[in-house]
Amino acid sequence: MDRKTFFVALLALGAVVSACAADYEAQPAKTCLTAPPSCAANEVCQDAPSGPTCACKPGFGGPTCAIECPAGTQDNDRNSTCTATCAAQACGAHARCDDASGTRTCTCAPGYSDAKSPGTCAFVGIINDPAFSNTPPASWKLTGAVLDANYASGVDPGQVTLDAPTTCAGSGQVRQSFTMPTVAESGPLALRAVDRLFTVSPAVGCTFFCLPFAVHRMFLRNGASFLGAINDFTVTSAPSGGSFHDRSVCLGERWYGRAIDFSLSPVSSCSGFSGTWSRSIDHLSIDEAPNCPMPGTIKNGDFEAAGGWTPSNVTGSTADVVAGAGNGGSRAGRITASTYCNSATLTGLISPPESRLPNLAISFDYKLTSQDSVTVRLGGQAVARVKGNGAYQNAHICIPESTKGITTDLAFALVEKLSPTNTCDGTTNREFLVDGVEFVSDSKCGMPATLANPGFEPTDVVDDWSASSDVANSTPISLEKPGFNSNAAASLNVIATCQSSSVTALGSVPLPGAGKGIALSAMIKGSLTGAAKVTTNLGVGTFAVTGAYTRAQVCLAAGNLGVTTPLTIALTQDPNGGKCDVTAVSSVQVDDLRFVEDAACPH
């Protein structure tokens, strides 16, 4: 039975049914497949809202499609006049073409206008009321925020403000819908944000920088879909009347060529912080940004052109781009260090494709001093460590799912290490060379990457987790086969009050189904003394710990759902009666991490 016969049989059996008013019966919808009209030789059937109809084949026109239009022309209105197609005669810069009516027309892309110079599309802006001056009125939809159109400070009049409880809960939003041009219509664009933290009352005893830190971020979304983040203040307060910060975020592929239900949500991790502040946003706009990478690309990934990479040098360590050092004698990025305990950083911008390249990974060739390591960071967060053997090697690092289609920074830095005498004294000769940074498909990245190496498995080239411990000579990631049905686990240890031991990796928190939140689940075993606890920076509460591997979980805060952000698991020994350095030994092993949906978690 062919497809047409099968479909007609389904209709006859009542498989396609419409709901009809009384005294009416359903009639099967006619299509080119079920009821094709009789079309002439130069016609083809097309389905239309009114039913199947005959249209001219490409290259033909006229009332009966008898006129053959030359290549590059069309007669879509069938008036016997062949005119240029959009494909043959494109519009000017920042304009889009439409020839469906039979007449090729050019209109400016969203964000552009030719009002000042007809026929020349110039950028006029995409976001309405970027200054929060209420012009045009009601351009912004606000949740937990207050707009003051008369505020006179900042870069322009007006601002919107969110208070500390709102940012701590992650419940505040400023929101606006708009349509974005395609990449071809606009080129690189960036979101400009001008904002500040205004300290109303600092924590007790705090004058400027204080502990514990309150970490502040601003998440960008299209509806529920993650668009990026602005990571900023990592201190608990700014000076009273703190200055505005003016920064831009390059946009990735998931911004372009679509309707955007844009929202900006300030989120603060405020545990243990007693100060009070407000978040003020003075300006939000989308601007042309020629210094940003084209979406879906890496700017100067082969180091052969100028620009694209920014060195950050420190005493005893330098980053630069040099000729003749690449794999095959090309140009390469380089980091050198002549002293211990310091490393320069080499940072570039990358814009991973949203979906056109499956199993997405970033690939690079590198040469590193033997027995040395380099930290690789995405968006400021360590995602891997590569190991050196003195010769050029190739490394692949899977791109987290919610980083695809988002522009972020890629940074390399030597792992800081002590001298053979466990001090920063003396000299050394460390060198890292990197070349051929590009996006590739890698079968090991076939599953959506929500967590880098959730089982803490050792690899020959790449380490996905970074570790920190207050305990001398402690190795938070153990490779001695203590894992739960695996070769490794994170082994966290403390020996005194006020100490902590932690591991951190980049996590892409998934979006849950309706009515559910997300929890971080792990297999954990160990022993805790006194006020010791195991926590995650993204969640609320503590992991339960027993003497045998048992699955435990902690709900994540609602503000962290659907975002890519650093994920830390920490063992912390709280003070004993306010005293530090009191002996208190605790140890846990963590393995087999997962994000799981849970209706009991915030959403």
Side-chain angles (χ1 to χ4, degrees), residues 366-456:
Y366 75 96
K367 182 180 179 181
L368 178 62
T369 310
S370 185
Q371 305 300 313
D372 215 338
S373 298
V374 159
T375 299
V376 184
R377 298 189 181 101
L378 278 179
Q381 171 58 39
V383 294
R385 287 187 180 186
V386 295
K387 307 168 187 178
N389 63 8
Y392 261 106
Q393 304 177 76
N394 180 260
H396 285 188
I397 297 171
C398 296
I399 298 293
E401 195 68 18
S402 60
T403 302
K404 297 174 183 177
I406 292 174
T407 300
T408 188
D409 58 271
L410 169 70
F412 300 96
L414 291 166
V415 174
E416 297 179 8
K417 68 177 183 180
L418 298 173
S419 70
T421 59
N422 287 326
T423 69
C424 294
D425 300 331
T427 61
T428 184
N429 184 21
R430 307 169 68 194
E431 182 181 60
F432 169 71
L433 298 170
V434 60
D435 191 14
V437 185
E438 61 181 344
F439 294 121
V440 298
S441 289
D442 188 331
S443 59
K444 77 174 183 180
C445 305
M447 296 297 290
T450 56
L451 277 172
N453 193 4
F456 301 95

Side-chain angles (χ1 to χ4, degrees), residues 69-273:
C69 290
T73 64
Q74 49 77 29
D75 181 25
N76 290 334
D77 57 1
R78 301 176 71 166
N79 68 352
S80 301
T81 301
C82 298
T83 59
T85 65
C86 286
Q89 190 175 343
C91 294
H94 314 305
R96 53 182 51 173
C97 187
D98 185 0
D99 60 14
S101 66
T103 301
R104 172 184 163 277
T105 58
C106 294
T107 56
C108 292
Y112 294 82
S113 172
D114 64 353
K116 292 185 177 180
S117 178
T120 302
C121 298
F123 189 74
V124 293
I126 293 171
I127 292 180
N128 286 323
D129 191 19
F132 297 102
S133 60
N134 203 31
T135 306
S139 294
W140 293 97
K141 297 178 182 179
L142 306 177
T143 302
V146 177
L147 188 146
D148 180 0
N150 299 316
Y151 187 79
S153 186
V155 298
D156 39 29
Q159 70 171 9
V160 67
T161 301
L162 302 93
D163 61 20
T166 301
T167 62
C168 289
S171 58
Q173 276 190 350
V174 294
R175 193 167 193 161
Q176 185 178 136
S177 297
F178 47 81
T179 300
M180 289 286 291
T182 65
V183 174
E185 292 168 340
S186 68
L189 299 172
L191 177 76
R192 181 189 178 199
V194 181
D195 69 301
R196 69 174 175 177
L197 286 179
F198 188 99
T199 301
V200 178
S201 63
V204 176
C206 171
T207 57
F208 190 74
F209 296 101
C210 316
L211 290 170
F213 288 160
V215 180
H216 309 278
R217 293 164 289 175
M218 293 193 294
F219 291 129
L220 313 174
R221 292 183 172 90
N222 175 18
S225 300
F226 184 58
L227 289 176
I230 301 174
N231 299 315
D232 49 295
F233 305 96
T234 55
V235 296
T236 53
S237 69
S240 181
S243 59
F244 281 97
H245 288 241
D246 190 339
R247 53 269 179 90
S248 294
V249 176
C250 296
L251 306 186
E253 280 187 348
R254 64 174 66 185
W255 285 81
Y256 290 84
R258 65 196 72 184
I260 299 290
D261 181 17
F262 171 77
S263 67
L264 182 147
S265 304
V267 178
S268 300
S269 61
C270 315
S271 177
F273 178 63

Side-chain angles (χ1 to χ4, degrees), residues 210-583:
C210 316
L211 290 170
F213 288 160
V215 180
H216 309 278
R217 293 164 289 175
M218 293 193 294
F219 291 129
L220 313 174
R221 292 183 172 90
N222 175 18
S225 300
F226 184 58
L227 289 176
I230 301 174
N231 299 315
D232 49 295
F233 305 96
T234 55
V235 296
T236 53
S237 69
S240 181
S243 59
F244 281 97
H245 288 241
D246 190 339
R247 53 269 179 90
S248 294
V249 176
C250 296
L251 306 186
E253 280 187 348
R254 64 174 66 185
W255 285 81
Y256 290 84
R258 65 196 72 184
I260 299 290
D261 181 17
F262 171 77
S263 67
L264 182 147
S265 304
V267 178
S268 300
S269 61
C270 315
S271 177
F273 178 63
S274 59
T276 304
W277 70 86
S278 62
R279 161 78 80 176
S280 298
I281 305 170
D282 182 68
H283 180 96
L284 275 178
S285 63
I286 292 176
D287 304 323
E288 293 181 306
N291 291 328
C292 289
M294 285 294 290
T297 70
I298 297 172
K299 193 163 187 175
N300 196 16
D302 60 4
F303 298 91
E304 295 303 311
W309 296 89
T310 302
S312 178
N313 298 326
V314 297
T315 302
S317 184
T318 301
D320 55 7
V321 177
V322 295
N327 192 7
S330 61
R331 288 165 60 89
R334 179 179 66 177
I335 301 174
T336 60
S338 59
T339 61
Y340 291 99
C341 302
N342 286 319
S343 175
T345 303
L346 188 63
T347 304
L349 282 174
I350 67 170
S351 188
E354 182 178 13
S355 58
R356 61 179 171 80
L357 197 61
N359 307 333
L360 186 63
I362 191 164
S363 169
F364 56 91
D365 297 327
Y366 75 96
K367 182 180 179 181
L368 178 62
T369 310
S370 185
Q371 305 300 313
D372 215 338
S373 298
V374 159
T375 299
V376 184
R377 298 189 181 101
L378 278 179
Q381 171 58 39
V383 294
R385 287 187 180 186
V386 295
K387 307 168 187 178
N389 63 8
Y392 261 106
Q393 304 177 76
N394 180 260
H396 285 188
I397 297 171
C398 296
I399 298 293
E401 195 68 18
S402 60
T403 302
K404 297 174 183 177
I406 292 174
T407 300
T408 188
D409 58 271
L410 169 70
F412 300 96
L414 291 166
V415 174
E416 297 179 8
K417 68 177 183 180
L418 298 173
S419 70
T421 59
N422 287 326
T423 69
C424 294
D425 300 331
T427 61
T428 184
N429 184 21
R430 307 169 68 194
E431 182 181 60
F432 169 71
L433 298 170
V434 60
D435 191 14
V437 185
E438 61 181 344
F439 294 121
V440 298
S441 289
D442 188 331
S443 59
K444 77 174 183 180
C445 305
M447 296 297 290
T450 56
L451 277 172
N453 193 4
F456 301 95
E457 297 303 298
T459 63
D460 293 332
V461 177
V462 176
D463 290 331
D464 303 285
W465 291 83
S466 60
S468 175
S469 178
D470 294 330
V471 181
N473 300 319
S474 175
T475 304
I477 299 179
S478 172
L479 306 180
E480 300 172 358
K481 295 190 177 182
F484 173 75
N485 292 334
S486 65
N487 292 320
S491 181
L492 308 178
N493 304 277
V494 295
I495 59 175
T497 55
C498 302
Q499 287 186 344
S500 67
S501 180
S502 64
V503 289
T504 301
L506 197 66
S508 291
V509 183
L511 283 169
K516 297 181 180 180
I518 293 291
L520 178 64
S521 171
M523 296 299 295
I524 301 181
K525 73 171 184 178
S527 61
L528 302 180
T529 302
K533 58 187 178 183
V534 180
T535 60
T536 173
N537 64 316
L538 303 185
V540 180
T542 61
F543 290 95
V545 178
T546 65
Y549 271 116
T550 305
R551 186 158 293 282
Q553 69 179 46
V554 167
C555 288
L556 305 190
N560 290 318
L561 304 184
V563 304
T564 294
T565 188
L567 167 69
T568 298
I569 299 176
L571 167 63
T572 305
Q573 191 78 46
D574 285 348
N576 180 5
K579 297 181 180 180
C580 293
D581 300 322
V582 176
T583 299

